[in-house]
Amino acid sequence: MTSRCVVSLNVVFRTLCQSTKYTNSSVRRKSLWTQDRVLTSPHKNINIPNCTLNEFVWENLDKWPERTVAVCAITGRGYTYEQAFYLSNAFAANLRTKFKIVDGDVVSVMLPNIPDYPLVAMGILEAGAVISSINPIYTAHEVHRQLLVSNAKVVVTLPEISNIVKEAFKLAKIDIPIIVIKTNGDPAPEGTVLFNELSEDVHVDTSCLKKVRRSNNDVCFLPYSSGTTGLPKGVELSHRNIVANCIQISEPAIKQHNETTKTHQDVVMAVLPFFHSYGATVTMFHRMVVGGKIVTLAKLQPEQFLQSLEKYKANILHIAPPLGLLMTSHPAASPKIYQYLEVILNGAAPFAGSDANRLLSKIQRKIDFRQGYGLTETSPVVSLPIIGSEHYSSVGNPMPSTEVRIVDSNLKNLGPNETGELLVRGPQVMRGYKNNPEANRETFTEDGWFRTGDMAVVDDNGDITIADRIKELIKVKGFQVPPAELEGVLRDHPSVLDVAVIGVPHPTNGEAPKAFVVLKNGQNADTKDICNFVNERVASYKRLNDIVFLDSIPKSLSGKILRKDLKAKYC
């Protein structure tokens, strides 16, 4: 499907519907529920090629060699697909020859979103190694722990954070090579190797890459789970897992991209971190598969982000709730800034339907806004609404070749409109947690279903709505109170910008909800006013009477509220 960057709403949706030939009724010709109360996908099963992720990414290279694969939003520095292919191959060859990387070795990548990231990632895979992503704002203590558990052989980072890596080496009592990517004219730190010298090495013999022997069942990506219920765990995602997820999100009824042609190339603004599976698979790997342009932002600076949307004519945007709230409330936000946007996909955490409506009212035209559901352990996408869905609180139906169960505390299957834990089975589900058999036993059922730890409800049409994390549910007099529900109500208050809700001990009720509120600039509201606003809208056991006003809500870079940090500091 070819689409211009600026088109009217009616043209966008008419084109989408004509090209996909899908409507709500055609997708749901029959019930998605089996007799055993298993929810199936409305989409036909996918065929997964027997290839590695890097082979899959480069499969259509000849269709768009001169197109830009990645460009820095601030400096304009970037690469074409052809350049990326040859530079990543040279880097891969040097990893094997100069650093003695062999099949299955782990190479840690501690980088923000820069245009070199896709080249580094592809080079690691082409060398037969495994990408292990590290948050670039981690402390030395956090880095050293991840280096040890992943057994990394090389680290790729920036010169300005190489000292953190060196401190981590001391803590871990290891000494491995550091490769740095220079983004300015500063000299490379002592004891490091320059990435561009490895990738631009015209003398390296790339024939060594013929010795790489990797199957699609081998691990290719080793991100670490957020650790909201304990220390982060290494998530083993295979080539097959990520290839399958790329194919799943290309399903015509749910895809959020246009075909790359002689006259059109999608532009996606990459502000969500590549070290997270959402940014890695949906924004980076999948966009390379379909020939899109990735505009990278190393750091979220609101004015630069908004200006870049307009400057680069970004028509695809992947967000997490904090970014959506920023787009709604920032003084510089305007319909002009958002004039090229055609698709916004929210993920990482739930975005209330009321928040979605506020964002769309700021854009002042009805673009294709959807939110999907997934986890690091599922590569990440589990479900996604069909194109043009206006059920903003829903995360849609299961992806192709994906099954879902809603179960009670005894793992007994529940049916439509019953709330329980969501279980998943599909080709995108991870192999398991690295060297953690205890966590694997807790996470997988005996018959191979993955336990998400999320509470969900599914309607008769198979639309999934996420309620909350099981471990984050607040238990009031035996009733379960989802924090996300109260957060959605709080955001409806005209003075409230952002919120978080946690459960705190209560002498008679077991637990009680406690809210943390960020007010909009220039707005005044007191605890009584906000509590009354919420309590008029919820059942008695969900009522609030405790609010703390903050300047900001602590969140991970993927947009998840750090409830444990709030509990540690305020409870």
Side-chain angles (χ1 to χ4, degrees), residues 472-488:
E472 292 176 351
L473 289 172
I474 304 166
K475 303 290 182 65
V476 181
K477 296 181 179 179
F479 292 101
Q480 296 181 337
V481 179
E485 178 185 349
L486 290 177
E487 288 161 0

Side-chain angles (χ1 to χ4, degrees), residues 34 38 71 124 138 180 325-326 400 420 428 476 516 543:
T34 70
V38 173
V71 59
I124 293 170
Y138 268 5
V180 296
L325 295 174
L326 181 153
Q428 72 272 48
V476 181
F516 298 84
R543 289 176 182 169

Side-chain angles (χ1 to χ4, degrees), residues 321-332:
L323 192 58
L325 295 174
L326 181 153
M327 293 175 66
T328 304
S329 61
H330 196 277

Side-chain angles (χ1 to χ4, degrees), residues 346-374:
N346 177 71
F351 198 53
S354 56
D355 290 332
N357 284 318
R358 278 191 283 269
L359 175 57
L360 290 172
S361 68
K362 175 67 70 171
I363 296 172
Q364 292 189 8
R365 56 194 175 89
K366 192 176 177 183
I367 67 170
D368 183 19
F369 176 90
R370 289 175 279 162
Q371 59 178 329
Y373 168 72

Side-chain angles (χ1 to χ4, degrees), residues 5-176:
C5 288
V6 187
V7 288
S8 72
L9 171 68
N10 290 336
V11 172
V12 170
F13 281 101
R14 185 166 62 249
T15 302
L16 289 171
C17 291
Q18 288 173 349
S19 63
T20 60
K21 292 184 172 56
Y22 273 92
T23 64
N24 285 356
S25 59
S26 65
V27 169
R28 298 171 181 147
R29 282 189 292 267
K30 61 180 181 179
S31 173
L32 304 180
W33 290 91
T34 70
Q35 290 183 343
D36 296 329
R37 292 187 166 186
V38 173
L39 181 68
T40 60
S41 174
H43 314 295
K44 66 179 182 181
N45 289 339
I46 61 171
N47 293 316
I48 306 170
N50 185 20
C51 66
T52 61
L53 176 57
N54 46 296
E55 290 169 339
F56 188 65
V57 165
W58 298 128
E59 186 176 28
N60 293 312
L61 176 64
D62 60 336
K63 293 182 179 180
W64 40 69
E66 300 304 317
R67 294 283 194 179
T68 299
V69 61
V71 59
C72 174
I74 308 304
T75 67
R77 186 177 65 87
Y79 303 95
T80 67
Y81 274 87
E82 186 174 48
Q83 288 172 331
F85 176 76
Y86 286 111
L87 292 171
S88 64
N89 264 259
F91 177 54
N94 273 315
L95 283 176
R96 289 188 74 94
T97 56
K98 293 182 179 178
F99 298 92
K100 307 306 177 186
I101 292 296
V102 297
D103 292 356
D105 278 349
V106 170
V107 177
S108 288
V109 181
M110 188 176 175
L111 293 171
N113 286 14
I114 56 177
D116 315 80
Y117 205 121
L119 280 65
V120 171
M122 287 297 102
I124 293 170
L125 298 182
E126 288 154 16
V130 177
I131 306 162
S132 182
S133 53
I134 301 178
N135 187 333
I137 67 168
Y138 268 5
T139 64
H141 180 76
E142 291 167 314
V143 174
H144 108 273
R145 187 171 59 219
Q146 192 164 323
L147 291 175
L148 285 177
V149 296
S150 67
N151 193 26
K153 304 299 183 184
V154 176
V155 177
V156 183
T157 190
L158 294 179
E160 52 265 39
I161 53 179
S162 60
N163 282 338
I164 298 293
V165 176
K166 291 177 180 178
E167 289 178 31
F169 286 178
K170 292 178 182 177
L171 292 172
K173 297 181 173 58
I174 59 174
D175 184 16
I176 58 177

Side-chain angles (χ1 to χ4, degrees), residues 278 317-329 338 344-363 367-373 385 390-395 464-468 484-485 487-489 491-492 497-499 555 558-561 563:
Y278 180 12
L317 180 63
H318 301 139
I319 67 169
L323 192 58
L325 295 174
L326 181 153
M327 293 175 66
T328 304
S329 61
Y338 303 139
I344 297 179
L345 178 65
N346 177 71
F351 198 53
S354 56
D355 290 332
N357 284 318
R358 278 191 283 269
L359 175 57
L360 290 172
S361 68
K362 175 67 70 171
I363 296 172
I367 67 170
D368 183 19
F369 176 90
R370 289 175 279 162
Q371 59 178 329
Y373 168 72
E390 296 180 15
H391 190 183
Y392 299 137
S393 296
S394 166
V395 295
I464 303 168
T465 299
I466 302 301
D468 225 315
E485 178 185 349
E487 288 161 0
V489 176
R491 287 198 191 95
D492 284 335
L497 174 64
D498 200 5
V499 298
K555 295 177 182 178
S558 62
K560 294 179 180 177
I561 296 171
R563 301 183 202 276

